[in-house]
Amino acid sequence: MKIALDAMGGDKAPLVNVEGARDALALYPKIEKIFLVGDEEILKAECEKSKLTDPRIEIVHASQVVEMRESGAKTLRSKRDSSIAVATELVKSGKAQAVVSAGNTGAAVANATLRLRTLKGVERAGIASPFPNEHGVCNLLDAGANPEAKPEHLLVYGVMGAMYAKHVLGVEKPIVGLMSNGEEDEKGTTFTKATLELIKGVEDAPFEFKGNIEGHDLFETKLDVVLTDGFTGNIILKASEATAKAMSKWLKVEFKRKPIRALGAAMAQGAFKAVKKRSSYEYYGGSPLLGINGVVIISHGGSSSLAMQNAIRGAMEQVQHKVNPHIEEALEKLGFE
């Protein structure tokens, strides 16, 4: 399989992208080619610095870069030769099967939607962000692609998330919940109540519907997909990331206050590493943008080389398991055309 990598996207680009591509090629022989998209001279120098000599690497020049603070939608016209635009175009032309980017999320979503279009039956794409919990991994969908969703969009998200959980994560009967402020049917906004009624009325859904769930259920309850609009989802995602970072910082401060605490921390180092691995975005790599006619992986802006390596792995798995045809088939059975 062939993957296009937005080599200029992200806070630490292009270094971590080049290193991530190097490490992915060493680990995954199924990858036929990785297109490094960006400034050719800069990428050649970075490849030399990172000792990336694998013949499966091909540099594709792009003269522009979408900065993280830019409006993603506006760059569709102003930066048509940006690394994310050129990388996405490689998928559109059939030269690549997936695109990976740690750059501007709005630009990645806009370029994917405009150039690749959505799958049959999908009106709006959604970002599925993994949340590790007591039972495995729960995917929050949508985590930022569609801030003003409709109930019908969330039903489609449920189907897409279920197909991703089943065919990529190996969950036989995915469990789907709807984010609300209480489990009771009467709780929630007008939007969430309408969504609950819609999904509960669907016969033969390809998932088990849990109904309304609360924030703590993301971490405590057996769930494979949690549905919400992109505005709420993005707040949940960023608040959770910030909480994890704050807790880590506070623990380090407290451990240093007394020698006995430092000794205890040293003895528990293995446990801390295990928790970090389980909770860190680096080990998940990126979030799939589901509903696009192609595979798109959106990575954290602060991604490391390990995160990019795993993002490439995620793209490879989604292509390998043919998630998109399964999504279209499931939606067609429910009457979405």
Side-chain angles (χ1 to χ4, degrees):
M1 62 190 66
K2 299 176 182 180
I3 298 170
L5 177 60
D6 172 14
M8 308 304 289
D11 299 334
K12 302 172 185 176
L15 174 63
V16 297
N17 296 318
V18 172
E19 290 181 341
R22 177 198 64 196
D23 297 342
L25 288 170
L27 288 170
Y28 311 122
K30 288 185 178 180
I31 298 177
E32 299 172 55
K33 186 180 289 292
I34 292 181
F35 296 98
L36 289 181
V37 184
D39 187 287
E40 186 174 8
E41 293 304 315
I42 292 176
L43 292 180
K44 282 182 178 178
E46 204 62 63
C47 286
E48 185 176 350
K49 180 181 175 182
S50 301
K51 295 181 172 57
L52 176 52
T53 58
D54 195 301
R56 291 175 291 169
I57 281 289
E58 182 177 331
I59 295 175
V60 177
H61 182 67
S63 62
Q64 297 172 305
V65 177
V66 177
E67 303 298 335
M68 299 299 271
R69 295 184 179 276
E70 289 188 81
S71 168
K74 289 181 180 178
T75 63
L76 286 172
R77 290 188 177 183
S78 63
K79 292 191 173 180
R80 295 182 180 180
D81 197 45
S82 68
S83 53
I84 183 59
V86 174
T88 307
E89 195 66 31
L90 287 171
V91 177
K92 180 181 178 180
S93 67
K95 292 181 179 178
Q97 295 157 286
V99 58
V100 176
S101 177
N104 185 302
T105 298
V109 173
N111 273 280
T113 304
L114 177 69
R115 298 174 190 278
L116 305 179
R117 302 298 181 182
T118 54
L119 296 172
K120 184 179 179 181
V122 177
E123 186 176 337
R124 295 289 183 89
I127 300 172
S129 286
F131 270 69
N133 68 14
E134 294 180 14
H135 305 274
V137 176
C138 172
N139 281 288
L140 182 69
L141 209 171
D142 171 34
N146 183 15
E148 298 186 14
K150 300 176 182 177
E152 293 79 9
H153 297 158
L154 264 63
L155 171 56
V156 172
Y157 290 165
V159 174
M160 295 194 299
M163 292 300 98
Y164 178 78
K166 182 175 182 177
H167 296 284
V168 176
L169 303 181
V171 180
E172 184 58 34
K173 186 69 173 179
I175 302 173
V176 175
L178 174 65
M179 182 60 68
S180 187
N181 63 333
E183 295 180 357
E184 300 83 2
D185 286 4
E186 63 269 18
K187 290 290 183 71
T189 62
T190 302
F191 167 69
T192 56
K193 289 177 183 178
T195 303
L196 179 69
E197 185 178 353
L198 176 65
I199 298 177
K200 286 180 71 174
V202 174
E203 296 182 4
D204 299 322
F207 52 78
E208 177 185 335
F209 187 47
K210 187 81 173 178
N212 284 341
I213 61 103
E214 300 179 67
H216 65 85
D217 290 307
L218 272 169
F219 304 96
E220 299 174 355
T221 304
K222 172 59 179 170
L223 290 162
D224 300 295
V225 182
V226 168
L227 305 175
T228 187
D229 60 277
F231 178 79
T232 305
N234 196 254
I235 291 174
I236 293 171
L237 176 64
K238 290 179 178 177
S240 299
E241 288 179 347
T243 301
K245 287 180 181 178
M247 290 296 294
S248 177
K249 183 178 179 179
W250 296 342
L251 280 171
K252 288 176 182 178
V253 170
E254 292 302 323
F255 282 137
K256 292 178 181 179
R257 289 190 188 279
K258 296 181 180 180
I260 190 68
R261 291 182 180 178
L263 177 61
M267 293 175 67
Q269 190 175 25
F272 288 129
K273 286 183 178 179
V275 171
K276 180 181 179 181
K277 181 176 181 179
R278 184 176 176 182
S279 61
S280 175
Y281 70 87
E282 287 184 293
Y283 293 90
Y284 298 95
S287 302
L289 179 63
L290 299 178
I292 293 296
N293 188 22
V295 173
V296 181
I297 301 294
I298 297 176
S299 299
H300 196 289
S303 288
S304 64
S305 57
L306 175 61
M308 296 312 298
Q309 171 205 305
N310 282 316
I312 293 169
R313 171 187 53 77
M316 182 183 72
E317 290 174 345
Q318 199 171 331
V319 172
Q320 187 176 358
H321 291 288
K322 300 179 180 178
V323 175
N324 286 345
H326 291 299
I327 289 174
E328 289 187 319
E329 182 181 357
L331 287 174
E332 186 178 359
K333 288 181 180 179
L334 294 180
F336 286 91
E337 297 180 357

